[in-house]
């Protein structure tokens, strides 16, 4: 989009204002982000993990919850939570990010959940692998996708629907796709999908359907609202490419102390160990660079080990902050496929997959005395 | 304030715009509210409980954490978490609300954390009572207040400080004031004060200092920033009265299904059981009324039992939604001292203690067929 566009020329749902509407604020107060200081934890405490709920948190009773697997399958089945818990059990640390993370930094801004940079989190999810269940159900040859339906229902895009997303059979058959019932060793919190949710490691969060009730094998690609909206478009009616895996991203824990309102940071002069995390849904993180001069020059950070193939990797960087004054800190991750983070974010109509490098303005104080 | 005030006449920190600034948005994404459907839980799941963090969540190690009790005391003491855990242990369900809840509904709007109605939550807090510790420390006669200092540090009101709040000796000596180390049976989550926080039942949340490190008996009333800012003022320099206990409030779980963006509700025609919660820090809730005609007429709801003197009370109301069309649902709580909720909120400069009745616009659908 053109930077000098005026409000009158914008399509519906796009704002050129720097301020956010009350409707966006309502969403921001429900769908909270992770405090960036939470990056110090390998596993994000549940209440700190980002959250995006399209409709309401459904009222759920584990004792009567059931998951059906049907449609184009030879052996349709209805599973209780006890059935699912009695099956093989796997725990996998997974980093999730909302596809709309960073949306509110775009200009002009798509009107929806107004994320800045905090729609992230990593948890150890425990559940049973999906693949053996699908093999037992026996997917018919003419099926091309599986549709995952949730218990949360509402209106979006002027259509009333249960939240539903699909995966191709091949994607759903990946070994690491889970039906999860625990988060960090405790039952799922209500707002994270209690009692059962899908986990699609490597993909943006919209694929990991919470409050999962039905899996249906279908013979045509699914075209429900929540499937077709998640596409990279320049105009509302573009066909666009689907949003799938998480683009590489890295974030530093903002150093020093904040100002309450502006969140501007103040740091004592001296050497500081910057810490952060980096992740990509496409391939392992191979490199993280840090800039302390507003993206002018970059230096490699020290990269640590991820807790799993699908969890963020820690990194550290020794920062010599001996010069007082204003500094901009940034970091940039590159994965093994060569995907990296842009310095300027390409625009798309719904504001998806924003992975522009983080910029933390910091004031290094003058030495005391 | 006058409704027809213009921006030019407003004091600093007050906005006449309907839209919120990026600075307010940054706070809203850190300081999340409770989903109103969470009112169905007697005890709010920890990640759903509202959260207001002035600065950053401090990095805390339980094994080295210590609490000092000093100042004007005969026996200053330094307590480890093991010391505190070995003392008498109490669990108390407590409803907390942010003093700024509802701030963003004021017009003009004080610029700070922009709450709508969701800055609430109830948890079972476990810890040791404060009073015996104070008695052992032996508060000197000339002490008038205790200052509670936290590990979170930052800048607010242009002053760098640790978050600190005081209580009079009498208030701190109330039997139910706790030093808490568990929330709903688990260690405090980092963002709720791990490993130790103060709990002042009945008061707005600012009094319940998180990440508590020091208690100091002092001979003059404390005048730190976080003490003096929490006052009911009409102008920035008014003396004002201090903000203390929670004003009565009640909230209904919004019925039906929402529209994603507007959160507007749609309900099927028929009879519905409305459910909600009511609380007051001044006295037990004695009455809750519901209006289904935009606050024109009020009918008593059925009030249930609170889990404790300091926890919200549930209520229900049979709503006959047989007439299709737009409806406004409201509720109004009254406590045993006769305190009730206003239909129009009196304005104050920082936007504290907003307890105007909730209004839920709902569309009752036409019968099918």
């Amino acid at each position: 989009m053109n930077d000098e566009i005026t409000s009158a020329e914008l399509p519906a749902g796009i704002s050129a204002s720097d301020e956010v509407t009350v409707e966006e604020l309502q969403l921001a107060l429900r769908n909270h982000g992770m405090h960036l200081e939470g990056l110090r934890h390998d596993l994000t405490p549940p209440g700190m993990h980002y959250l995006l709920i399209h409709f309401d948190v459904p009222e759920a009773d584990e004792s009567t919850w059931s998951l059906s697997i049907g449609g184009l399958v030879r052996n349709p089945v209805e599973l209780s939570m006890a059935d699912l818990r009695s099956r093989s059990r796997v725990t996998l640390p997974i980093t999730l990010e909302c596809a709309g993370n960073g949306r509110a930094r775009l200009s002009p801004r798509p009107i929806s959940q107004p994320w800045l940079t905090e729609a992230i989190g990593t948890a150890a999810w425990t559940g049973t692998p999906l693949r053996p269940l699908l093999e037992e159900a026996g997917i018919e040859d003419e099926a091309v996708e599986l549709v995952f339906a949730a218990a949360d229902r509402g209106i979006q895009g002027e259509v009333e629907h249960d939240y539903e997303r699909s995966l191709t059979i091949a994607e759903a058959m990946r070994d690491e796709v889970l039906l999860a019932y625990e988060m960090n060793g405790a039952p799922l919190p209500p707002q994270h999908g209690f009692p059962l949710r899908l986990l699609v490691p490597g993909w943006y969060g919209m694929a990991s359907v919470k409050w999962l009730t039905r899996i249906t094998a279908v013979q045509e690609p699914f075209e429900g609202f929540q499937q077709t909206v998640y596409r990279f478009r320049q105009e509302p009616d573009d066909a666009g490419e689907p949003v799938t895996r998480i683009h590489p991203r890295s974030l530093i824990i903002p150093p020093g102390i904040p100002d309450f309102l502006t969140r501007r940071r103040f740091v004592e002069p001296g050497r500081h160990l910057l810490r952060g995390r980096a992740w990509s849904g496409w391939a392992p993180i191979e490199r993280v660079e840090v800039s302390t001069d507003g993206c002018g020059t970059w230096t490699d950070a020290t990269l640590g080990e991820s807790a799993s193939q699908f969890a963020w990797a820690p990194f550290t960087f020794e920062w010599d902050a001996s010069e007082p004054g204003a500094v901009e800190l940034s970091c940039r991750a590159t994965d093994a496929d060569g995907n990296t983070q842009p310095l300027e974010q390409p625009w798309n109509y719904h504001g998806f997959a924003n992975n522009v490098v983080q910029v933390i303005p910091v004031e290094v104080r003058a030495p005391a005395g």
Side-chain angles (χ1 to χ4, degrees), chain A:
Chain A
M1 301 275 297
N2 189 312
D3 277 352
E4 286 155 29
I5 219 152
T6 67
S7 293
E9 296 166 325
L10 293 173
I14 303 291
S15 171
S17 166
D18 285 341
E19 304 205 320
V20 303
T21 65
V22 170
E23 293 184 345
E24 289 171 288
L25 176 62
Q26 289 182 145
L27 289 172
L29 290 166
R30 287 177 59 83
N31 297 314
H32 66 85
M34 193 189 81
H35 312 90
L36 291 192
E37 60 270 32
L39 288 165
R40 68 172 74 110
H41 302 281
D42 283 332
L43 298 179
T44 311
M48 229 188 220
H49 193 290
Y50 98 86
L51 203 56
L52 192 288
I53 298 170
H54 286 76
F55 304 127
D56 287 355
V57 178
E59 195 156 14
D61 178 349
E62 163 141 9
S63 69
T64 57
W65 196 266
S66 78
L67 171 69
S68 68
I69 304 180
L72 297 171
V73 298
R74 283 179 290 278
N75 312 304
V77 67
E78 190 93 17
L79 297 151
S80 70
M81 287 304 301
D83 294 333
L84 290 162
R85 285 178 179 277
S86 71
R87 298 182 63 92
S88 72
R89 178 181 165 96
V90 172
T91 296
L92 190 58
I94 298 167
T95 294
L96 287 180
E97 180 170 4
C98 186
N101 201 10
R103 175 184 289 129
R105 294 196 182 278
L106 294 175
S107 178
R109 181 181 79 255
I111 300 283
S112 183
Q113 165 66 30
W115 294 121
L116 295 169
T117 44
E118 60 294 282
I120 52 165
T122 297
W125 300 95
T126 298
T128 195
L130 177 60
R131 179 178 185 138
L133 279 162
L134 297 179
E135 288 170 344
E136 290 167 36
I139 297 170
E140 304 274 13
D141 289 345
E142 64 267 41
V144 297
E145 285 190 351
L146 293 161
V147 180
F148 297 84
D152 61 323
R153 187 173 181 82
I155 296 163
Q156 196 173 358
E158 297 177 4
V159 181
E160 181 178 334
H161 58 279
D162 293 336
Y163 186 88
E164 287 180 300
R165 289 272 316 173
S166 72
L167 293 172
T168 62
I169 308 292
E171 199 67 39
M173 283 287 195
R174 282 166 52 208
D175 283 339
E176 59 270 14
V177 175
L178 292 185
L179 302 182
Y181 44 74
E182 288 181 12
M183 184 182 188
N184 293 356
L188 296 182
Q191 68 274 30
H192 285 288
F194 177 84
L196 188 70
R197 68 176 296 173
L198 183 65
L199 256 298
V200 185
W203 283 50
Y204 283 109
M206 77 287 165
S208 291
V209 176
K210 297 188 281 289
W211 312 295
L212 183 67
T213 59
R214 295 188 306 280
I215 303 175
T216 310
V218 295
Q219 66 186 347
E220 299 288 344
F222 176 64
E223 297 198 338
F225 178 82
Q226 302 294 348
Q227 196 70 22
T228 54
V229 75
Y230 284 95
R231 299 180 80 97
F232 293 106
R233 299 185 164 95
Q234 289 302 309
E235 303 285 342
D237 298 324
D238 286 357
E241 285 298 309
V243 177
T244 59
R245 286 172 183 266
I246 301 173
H247 292 200
R249 191 180 206 129
S250 55
L251 291 169
I252 293 171
I253 301 175
I257 61 168
D259 176 77
F260 168 74
L261 182 63
T262 63
R263 308 314 291 176
R264 195 166 161 72
R265 316 288 310 185
F266 298 86
V267 171
E268 295 303 315
R271 298 191 75 83
H272 295 275
L273 187 70
L274 299 178
R275 294 178 294 169
R277 307 268 174 180
W279 61 94
S280 165
W282 296 97
I285 292 293
E286 213 165 57
R287 182 181 195 190
V288 176
E289 300 154 285
V290 169
S291 170
T292 62
D293 61 359
C295 301
T297 59
W298 295 89
T299 307
D300 279 326
T302 304
L303 194 60
E305 288 287 312
S306 306
S308 85
Q309 184 188 345
F310 301 103
W312 54 28
F315 66 86
T316 56
F317 183 84
E318 283 267 3
W319 173 37
D320 178 6
S322 49
E323 283 294 310
V327 171
E328 284 186 354
L329 304 174
S330 289
C331 54
R332 178 169 65 184
T334 303
D335 70 21
D337 285 355
N339 302 305
T340 189
Q341 298 184 245
L343 299 181
E344 287 189 36
Q345 186 61 40
W347 192 92
N348 65 79
Y349 178 69
H350 296 291
F352 290 134
N354 187 328
N355 67 335
V356 69
V357 295
Q358 178 192 25
V359 177
I360 309 179
V362 169
E363 181 77 23
V364 178
R365 287 169 159 167

